[in-house]
Amino acid sequence: MSNDYTNYTVFMPPTPDNQPGAAQAGASGSGGPNKPGLPPYSSGSKVTNRRGGDDGAAGGGSKMERRLSTAHVASPSKSLLVRSQTGDFDHNRWLFDTKGTYGIGNAYWPQDDNPYANEDGTGMGGGGDGGVKMEDLIDKPWKPLSRKVAISPSILSPYRLLVLVRFVSLLLFLVWRATNPNPDAMWLWGISIVCEYWFAFSWILDQMPKLNPINRAADLAALREKFESKTPSNPTGRSDLPGLDVFISTADPYKEPPLVTANTLLSILATDYPVEKLFVYISDDGGALLTFEAMAEACAYAKVWVPFCRKHSIEPRNPDAYFNQQGDPTKGKKRPDFVKDRRWIKREYDEFKVRINDLPEAIRRRAHAMNARERKIAREKAAASSEAAPAPVKATWMADGTHWPGTWLDSAPDHGKGDHASIVQVMIKNPHFDVVYGDAGEHAYLDFTDVDVRIPMFVYLSREKRPGYDHNKKAGAMNAMVRASAVLSNGPFMLNFDCDHYVYNCQAIREAMCYMLDRGGDRICYIQFPQRFEGIDPSDRYANHNTVFFDGNMRALDGLQGPMYVGTGCLFRRYAIYGFNPPRVTEYHGVVGQTKVPIDAHTRSAAGDEELRPLTDHPDHEAPQRFGKSKTFVESIAVAEYQGRPLQDHPSVRNGRPPGALLMPRPPLDAATVAEAVSLISCWYEDSTEWGLRVGWIYGSVTEDVVTGYRMHNRGWRSVYCITKRDAFRGTAPINLTDRLHQVLRWATGSVEIFFSKNNALCASRRLMFLQRMSYLNVGIYPFTSLFLIMYCLLPALSLFSGQFIVATLDPTFLCYLLLITTTLILLCLLEVKWSGIGLEEWWRNEQFWVIGGTSAHLAAVLQGLLKVTAGIEISFTLTAKAAAEDDDDPYAELYLIKWTSLFIPPLAIIGINIIAMVVGVSRCVYAEIPQYSKLLGGGFFSFWVLAHYYPFAKGLMGRRGRTPTLVYVWAGLISITVSLLWITISPPDDRISQGGIEV
């Protein structure tokens, strides 16, 4: 190997340092174009290396050594570019020798003699005051906090094409069906054609809003860099994020266990958000002491649970979910004291659960003892004064020996479930603005050194209730929390939870803030998270996960004006909840809203719609007619609007605020502020105001969430669907068939109420996009599909009973249309599964429960709504029988409970009638002189298809191990016998067979 370098010579490339006459040329100072060694086209510049040294300076042996090369090139001749030993091209020459120019930029910047500077030395790179320096380009560029991720065109384009193909196929099929009646069974043909036209219309309403699905991605690193990093406007690096008010709503501690609510509270208190900017409220609509003391116990446990979660990065931060999750708890944990800390925290949580479980009995024992003492004192006073003293009331007592101001165990005047005073209790005060670290010896078992031990502020609320007032259920409770929080913390954003939903991803709130605080985020009214559930049976028999809606429909709406508000897990902009218009509004003109017209959001629309009238268009907009008589509350509105704006850190950001505007500490709460909050949640405060009409959660529907979201979209606001990689929140859902049907009944009843109100999408403004209008129209119309669905499910049975079919014969045209429509539906399903991420089994479960719910709960909701609108009659579908769980150790024991309800009757009738019809059809075909197998095949196939959709319903009625209640058999038998006898009476059998108008 040494022989390879025998004749190897080391040369130096030509540079200004080693060329003859370089010193003389440099001394001339002419700066002419022939100055040797400098790159051409930049005669006045000197190449400066990235380490700050001058590569063009004369002398300097160390620099000469750094410029050694394996080729000495005196002139750019080709002979010197070739090694004599091998004849290969010498690439090393090009490492240091170039005729190009670097110019200017953040990779290389000339220090002096800049040809790009102006004559006076100013401009780019000049030495004047207005010149740009290298340091100005080193700063990180502006980055958005979020971005849209488009669905792949290879999926979306075929999907849209198939929608068009299926639409044309349905149109041609319906035309063919209308022009080819069945003369032998016109009544059967008429029923089927009406149902098919309605199903096509319903499919269009459901399918069209799905044409533009999108995904989104948030940049948490950019959020921290903008709001929580040291900058000239934020030299201390404190959080510049806006405040956040979190609402938890509960009503009855005996139906909603306090332990579940306490775990929800603990998960929120431990979430990853600046402690001084997070404020938690719970609304106890029942005013129960049990809930109050359970929250007090949770606050005590939070003092160790919250720092433990921060120290060891615990996920999830719900204690019950964390300790019951499967897998190795030490995975990813590196602190040596983790096992010791976890063991101690687990023991504390077990003791915490025991205390919570004992609270009902402890409160009763305390009330009994205190009431006995009061009776004894009353007797002693009566004996001493010789006067008959009134008997003391049976009060409910707090632990400090005072009367509970809310609902008592034994109802009394001013202390009943619907008759009690307002309660505002700040259980955890506003924490210190600076980080407070734990001390090594502060706790006997846990070391919280270098761990922030602060806990967010927590307030217990129970609004006043009095007889004769309409308290508007959950919507009224939410509005009470909005008003009270406005004077206590006034966070510009609000996040609402049901008591059984908890934070599963501690970074989820930050992801939502990425959308709210990004460029254009001032037009977003709320961020809706998908609802995820735990405790669902593995097969998801009754489609409780509802992934087709949350991952399909809602994701598609995100590509329009935004998803609907569907209850829990939604982060709101407070200013939008107050009923104000967005800062910028677009109206959609044309038949399908194809023309966008930007308008001034602060002017009344041409139509003069009261809903679109700005709240600030009247000089007395701060008068009690809008928000009530609280001056403190009215003054908080402008503050909340300003604090919710995005940062004005880029020219493209409109309606922003300067960086560092939210760094000042909040003033501590005083007695006057708490007293103001008490008056704001009184039952009379909303009188003669617009709360529930234009301001806050909207009243008048059991689905107040959908109506409230619709009102904001109708004003021109937009919403965002935030799907996090790890589920943001999780909750529970009913897995029992009866409970599930009653849940669907409540939703469908709210939809019927929406349809018959001014919140119908047909009355929407031009600020609502056309496809968004279709989605809201579908919300109000879908329950009415049950009227046609139940008839269509009975059509196969009617065909088998009568020996006829919906068409005269199974001719090739009908079969081709049927095959084309079915094929396009299957392909659409496959592509929808592809872009939404749902599974085929989940899609099929959704289809099954759509039929089950459509022929039971939806039908009942339509009947209830029609009776309410036409006759003012309220119908309540309640449980008539209950059964206890057979096995408490089985997590799915509730799945097998049989609770009879009247909603079971229509599905049972359809199942029984179709089974009997199949038997009748087979019997007729077997014993007929001229069997009509085509009609049997048509009716039998569709009857089997109907029964396949009812399989989960039938399996649910069988309970555990197939034990079906006798009541189910009785009802099925009675319905089947009644329908059979009725059919025989209407159409008695004969020996004649009609085919093609000819009787045989």
Side-chain angles (χ1 to χ4, degrees), residues 17 49 52-68:
D17 304 307
N49 61 31
D54 189 355
D55 291 346
S62 61
K63 295 183 181 179
M64 292 289 293
E65 293 172 358
R66 288 198 302 267
R67 296 179 182 275
L68 289 178

Side-chain angles (χ1 to χ4, degrees), residues 951-966:
Y951 172 75
F953 178 83
K955 191 174 181 180
L957 292 182
M958 295 178 184
R960 190 192 299 270
R961 292 182 292 273
R963 292 184 294 179
T964 306
T966 306

Side-chain angles (χ1 to χ4, degrees), residues 770-820:
F770 178 74
L771 294 181
Q772 190 84 17
R773 185 194 302 261
M774 292 184 66
S775 67
Y776 275 113
L777 184 62
N778 189 39
V779 169
I781 285 181
Y782 82 88
F784 294 94
T785 305
S786 61
L787 300 175
F788 304 91
L789 182 61
I790 196 169
M791 288 190 296
Y792 211 73
C793 288
L794 292 174
L795 273 181
L798 297 178
S799 299
L800 293 172
F801 279 134
S802 62
Q804 302 294 333
F805 195 50
I806 57 176
V807 292
T809 58
L810 295 178
D811 59 358
T813 305
F814 174 76
L815 295 177
C816 288
Y817 274 125
L818 192 62
L819 178 62
L820 179 60

Side-chain angles (χ1 to χ4, degrees), residues 151 220 301 352 376 521 578 601 714 761 830 847 979:
I151 305 294
L220 294 179
Y301 182 68
F352 166 74
K376 181 180 179 181
Y578 287 158
N714 196 39
L830 294 175
E847 290 296 311
V979 173

